[in-house]
Amino acid sequence: MKGKTVMLHVATNLATHVRIQLKKNFHLSERLNILRAAVLGANDGIISTAGVVVGVAGAHQSQFALMLARISAMFAGAFSMGGGEFVSVSAQRDIQRATKQRQETALNFNYEHEFAILKQSYLDQGLSAELAEKVARELITKDGLNVTLKNKYNLDVHEYFNPWHAALSSFCSFIIGALLPFLMIVFIPYPEKISFTVGAVICALFLTGYTSASMGNAARLKAAIRNVCIGMLTMGITYLIGGLIG
């Protein structure tokens, strides 16, 4: 009897721990989603704006034409990135809601099957059959929809990704990223204008590539160098096109 009581106590504590971790992990994923949008927005702001202004500078256009190109590229890109993030995350949220509805139906019409799937997941993690059944039974009884959604689809019923957060993060970070080539082109005189801009952009691209890789636990140096190479290729091509046209 005492052993049964201890096992039930362990199962209760484990179930409580799982519920707490599920909530914490989802909030972390929401923050990471916003940070992801910010890093991508800043990176795109640096590359695309630098490409435009270097291309226009390569055509040896007037300071007014250069200023017009900078402002147009910065705001057009910011609205494009923000709008793209809004559409993308909205579609993701729609999928989350549709998945939630399907899981509600599954619990209403095939409860024991969903319980068996949840129990099996704990068996696969190494719990004994008795403990796995107790944990699964307590979790599915207290918060069946959320627990089964997290177990099957890694979703949380209480939270959805917010498309406005991602869109605003991407929009603002694009503007911030675009300011670097913008300011370099404005304040650095010819003939150093292009070389200083390229140098500043390389440093910024290395930083955003390194940050992006750190978020995904990927090879940081490799990602940073790849990001710099893509940016250099972009600026090189647009500068050549601008020079040919000019």
Side-chain angles (χ1 to χ4, degrees):
M1 184 69 181
K2 184 177 179 181
K4 292 280 187 181
T5 303
V6 171
M7 185 172 289
L8 181 60
H9 179 69
V10 171
T12 302
N13 288 340
L14 180 58
T16 302
H17 174 73
V18 169
R19 288 198 302 272
I20 293 173
Q21 290 303 314
L22 292 184
K23 191 171 184 62
K24 285 183 177 179
N25 288 339
F26 184 83
H27 290 320
L28 176 61
S29 67
E30 171 69 12
R31 292 195 295 270
L32 288 176
N33 185 54
I34 295 172
L35 182 58
R36 173 199 58 80
V39 171
L40 289 178
N43 193 70
D44 198 53
I46 295 167
I47 292 178
S48 60
T49 306
V52 170
V53 297
V54 168
V56 175
H60 301 288
Q61 295 298 310
S62 66
Q63 190 69 14
F64 175 77
L66 205 54
M67 178 67 71
L68 184 61
R70 287 192 297 265
I71 295 175
S72 299
M74 184 167 62
F75 283 100
F79 278 106
S80 177
M81 284 294 294
E85 282 291 338
F86 183 85
V87 171
S88 176
V89 177
S90 293
Q92 186 175 358
R93 186 174 63 174
D94 291 341
I95 293 173
Q96 289 176 316
R97 287 175 171 170
T99 304
K100 172 189 171 184
Q101 292 176 353
R102 287 198 304 270
Q103 189 59 27
E104 280 181 320
T105 302
L107 283 171
N108 290 333
F109 292 96
N110 207 352
Y111 182 87
E112 287 303 320
H113 177 68
E114 295 300 317
F115 168 74
I117 294 175
L118 184 62
K119 176 184 173 181
Q120 185 60 47
S121 71
Y122 293 120
L123 288 172
D124 294 340
Q125 293 176 38
L127 296 184
S128 66
E130 188 174 3
L131 185 56
E133 181 165 356
K134 287 182 179 295
V135 172
R137 184 67 69 185
E138 180 172 346
L139 287 173
I140 203 170
T141 299
K142 290 186 176 180
D143 194 6
L145 180 59
N146 189 38
V147 169
T148 54
L149 269 176
K150 187 66 178 179
N151 181 64
K152 292 173 67 176
Y153 305 108
N154 197 31
L155 296 178
D156 192 297
V157 69
H158 303 299
E159 298 286 345
Y160 296 107
F161 287 152
N162 191 318
W164 287 106
H165 291 169
L168 185 61
S169 174
S170 184
F171 179 90
C172 293
S173 62
F174 187 99
I175 295 291
I176 293 172
L179 283 175
L180 176 65
F182 184 98
L183 294 175
M184 295 300 293
I185 288 290
V186 168
F187 292 108
I188 302 299
Y190 281 111
E192 292 84 8
K193 188 184 293 288
I194 300 299
S195 58
F196 272 76
T197 300
V198 171
V201 167
I202 288 175
C203 294
L205 290 177
F206 188 92
L207 179 61
T208 56
Y210 191 92
T211 302
S212 178
S214 299
M215 289 169 53
N217 293 320
R220 295 173 176 84
L221 184 60
K222 180 180 178 180
I225 294 175
R226 181 175 58 223
N227 200 40
V228 170
C229 290
I230 293 173
M232 291 294 293
L233 181 62
T234 301
M235 289 186 292
I237 292 174
T238 54
Y239 183 77
L240 288 176
I241 293 173
L244 290 173
I245 294 175

